[in-house]
Amino acid sequence: MILTAFLVLIFAPIGVSAASYFLSDRASANWYAADRSSAGVLPQASGHADALVRIYAARTVRWRGIVAVHSWIVFKDKGASRYSRYDYTAWGEPIRVNGFIADGRWFGQVPDEVFRADGEQAAQLIPKIRAAIESYKYRNLGDYRAWPGPNSNTFVAAIIDAVPEMQAVLPPTAIGKDFPYDGEWFGWTPSGTGLRATLGGYFGVTVGWLEGVELNVLGAVLGVDIRRPAIKIPGIGRIGMSAMPA
C-alpha cells in the first residue's frame, strides 16, 4: 500500500506533465528554430547602472521538458554596458559564455526567476561567482551528461554551493542539481542550511532550512518546503508559495 502510494506520487505528476506537453505546441514545434529572443524580464543593461545577478530556469528542449528545466546565471558589474550569461551545455565548450541573450527564451520557453540580487549585494557576489565558475571541475569537452549530471543544473548548483550568501534554491525540476559535483556523496546543502546525501545523483535525500525535505529518485524530486509552505513533485515542480520572497 505504501509502495503503491509512493509510486503514484512519483509517476502521476510526470504523467500530467507529459499530457500537458503532448497537448501543447511544444510537442510538434521545431525546437531548433524556436524563439530565443529576449523575454523582457531584464532591464536594458546600458540603462541600468547598478550591479545585478540573476538565476533563471526554463523548461528544457523537446520531451525532456516534461520532467526538467535548464538553468543559467546572469550578472553585470556596476556601470557595465552588457550582461554576462553563463550556461553549461552539451554542445561546444561546456561552459558557454554569452551564447544566448541574457534573458532569452529557452527554445521558446519563458524563463522563471530563481534568484535575484541588485546593487551592493550583487557587487559583493559577482567576484565570488566568477571564482566559482573558473574553478568548476567539469569544464572539459565530454564532461557534460544530461542525466544524472553534470549538466546545466549541476553547474548552477555548484555556483550556489560556492557562494552560500546567495541563499538560492533551484526548483525541484532542476534534474542534475543533486549530482555530487564536489565528489562528496554526503555533506552540506548548497545553501549551507542543512545536509544532503546522494548516491551519484541517482538517489538521494536533502534536508535543509532553505531546501526543505527532498527525496531524489532517479533525478525525480518529491518533497516539502516548511519555511515557505509548498510541496515538490516530479514533472510539475513546486506547488504552493514561491521559493523566492516577493
Side-chain angles (χ1 to χ4, degrees):
M1 185 69 177
I2 294 175
L3 178 59
T4 300
F6 174 75
L7 292 175
V8 168
L9 286 172
I10 290 289
F11 291 106
I14 294 176
V16 171
S17 182
S20 175
Y21 170 80
F22 286 111
L23 292 172
S24 71
D25 294 337
R26 288 188 292 156
S28 58
N30 180 347
W31 68 270
Y32 187 78
D35 184 7
R36 283 176 277 175
S37 65
S38 170
V41 294
L42 277 174
Q44 287 292 325
S46 57
H48 186 83
D50 286 344
L52 176 152
V53 177
R54 297 286 188 273
I55 293 176
Y56 292 114
R59 289 283 171 172
T60 194
V61 178
R62 302 174 69 185
W63 61 268
R64 290 185 291 274
I66 293 171
V67 294
V69 297
H70 167 85
S71 60
W72 67 92
I73 188 162
V74 174
F75 57 82
K76 183 185 81 69
D77 289 302
K78 183 176 181 179
S81 60
R82 64 173 297 179
Y83 293 107
S84 295
R85 170 173 169 167
Y86 289 80
D87 295 76
Y88 191 81
T89 65
W91 58 92
E93 293 291 333
I95 299 179
R96 194 175 179 91
V97 185
N98 295 326
F100 309 94
I101 295 171
D103 62 349
R105 295 168 174 82
W106 187 246
F107 295 91
Q109 302 303 302
V110 174
D112 293 319
E113 188 176 274
V114 174
F115 171 79
R116 69 160 52 206
D118 295 281
E120 185 57 32
Q121 180 192 8
Q124 292 177 3
L125 293 175
I126 289 171
K128 298 177 182 180
I129 292 170
R130 281 199 175 100
I133 292 170
E134 288 299 318
S135 63
Y136 185 62
K137 179 179 178 181
Y138 299 101
R139 57 187 312 110
N140 301 311
L141 289 171
D143 282 345
Y144 181 99
R145 285 194 301 165
W147 178 83
N151 60 21
S152 65
N153 301 314
T154 312
F155 172 67
V156 175
I159 293 172
I160 293 171
D161 191 1
V163 192
E165 305 97 304
M166 295 172 76
Q167 297 285 279
V169 178
L170 286 173
T173 45
I175 290 177
K177 69 183 180 65
D178 296 316
F179 180 83
Y181 43 80
D182 56 1
E184 301 294 331
W185 288 20
F186 182 81
W188 295 104
T189 60
S191 71
T193 63
L195 296 172
R196 65 163 187 160
T198 178
L199 294 176
Y202 296 100
F203 298 94
V205 177
T206 297
V207 180
W209 177 238
L210 261 67
E211 290 84 0
V213 179
E214 295 184 352
L215 176 64
N216 165 23
V217 180
L218 299 176
V221 169
L222 185 65
V224 60
D225 186 344
I226 298 172
R227 181 181 67 99
R228 298 184 63 79
I231 60 171
K232 305 177 182 184
I233 54 179
I236 294 174
R238 185 183 180 95
I239 300 177
M241 290 184 68
S242 170
M244 285 183 56

